[in-house]
Amino acid sequence: MTEWWTYRISDLVPFGAEAYWRLFAHENLVFWPVPLVAAVAGAALVLKLLRSPGEHWGYPVLLLLGGCWIWVGWNFVLHRYGTLNWAGDWLVWPFLLQGALLCILANRVEFAPIRDIRTRTGAAVILIACCLYPGLAILDGRSLLESEAFGIAPDPTVLATLGILSLTRRHALVLVVIPALWLAVSCLVLTTIGAWQGMITAVLGAAALWAAARPRGSPTRPGP
């Protein structure tokens, strides 16, 4: 019997880049035009916050975000990713837990104005994750059909989540833990299969984590 310490990281990622990107092609074919709707929704959210900062409509946004986590975990991580990697059966549970936490803790969430380095970083990450991240497929010489889209693929969904959290006046830091762990796993997998997208994800993830985990003050209440 082979001892566990003799395994390499590549032994725990039993697939290559071609098989990995093919997963997203299947998802995009089935759920088109969801990627386009997600891109428009991300841009609309940032634009809304720029025009009407500090409004109390964070609850429905985080509620929908929680639903995205549950959907991505159940549909993609378990039923798509799980066909390539046995770990999919285990990785689905953090996604379901994160989705539930977002729904439970979404109450009384208030967005902050986009005016400091933290909120500007968060807004930029949302735009990149929702609108520009799918373009990495073209830069890689692949079809846009194999792109990763928010609400369908894990990485842009996780990045957009951290960006959205950074725009709230306050949130439970527990909401940052699972996204951080997933980004670490994803970057490791991408590096193992030789995908340079892992570096992009790592840079965006570090910026988003810094913005989302940075302490922020309590919301300012209007005077009597």
Side-chain angles (χ1 to χ4, degrees):
M1 180 177 178
T2 305
E3 302 296 343
W4 65 268
W5 57 80
T6 63
Y7 285 97
R8 297 174 296 176
I9 295 177
S10 57
D11 295 324
L12 304 178
V13 184
F15 55 87
E18 184 178 352
Y20 184 67
W21 301 130
R22 196 180 301 123
L23 295 178
F24 302 106
H26 291 311
E27 290 293 277
N28 291 330
L29 274 174
V30 172
F31 296 106
W32 179 261
V34 170
L36 180 60
V37 173
V40 173
L45 173 63
V46 174
L47 182 60
K48 175 67 174 175
L49 287 171
L50 285 171
R51 291 183 173 181
S52 305
E55 291 192 353
H56 296 266
W57 43 274
Y59 179 72
V61 172
L62 263 67
L63 201 62
L64 289 172
L65 190 62
C68 287
W69 272 79
I70 294 172
W71 171 251
V72 170
W74 181 259
N75 183 70
F76 182 85
V77 176
L78 180 61
H79 292 101
R80 290 289 187 191
Y81 187 69
T83 62
L84 294 182
N85 194 340
W86 57 268
D89 292 339
W90 297 93
L91 291 174
V92 63
W93 294 109
F95 272 81
L96 299 181
L97 176 59
Q98 179 72 12
L101 288 174
L102 284 167
C103 293
I104 294 171
L105 301 177
N107 194 23
R108 292 180 297 178
V109 170
E110 182 181 350
F111 283 111
I114 302 177
R115 62 187 180 192
D116 59 9
I117 184 64
R118 177 181 62 82
T119 51
R120 288 172 183 169
T121 300
V125 170
I126 294 173
L127 289 175
I128 293 173
C130 294
C131 304
L132 301 180
Y133 203 88
L136 295 180
I138 297 177
L139 294 178
D140 195 34
R142 294 180 282 114
S143 166
L144 192 59
L145 188 62
E146 295 181 334
S147 63
E148 300 170 78
F150 170 80
I152 291 180
D155 288 359
T157 303
V158 172
L159 290 171
T161 298
L162 292 173
I164 290 173
L165 290 176
S166 71
L167 299 184
T168 61
R169 292 190 185 275
R170 55 185 177 184
H171 62 260
L173 287 180
V174 68
L175 294 176
V176 177
V177 175
I178 292 177
L181 292 176
W182 172 261
L183 288 176
V185 170
S186 180
C187 290
L188 186 61
V189 169
L190 289 171
T191 301
T192 303
I193 64 176
W196 55 267
Q197 289 85 349
M199 182 61 66
I200 303 296
T201 302
V203 172
L204 289 174
L209 283 169
W210 170 82
R214 187 178 179 185
R216 75 285 322 276
S218 300
T220 302
R221 300 297 182 187

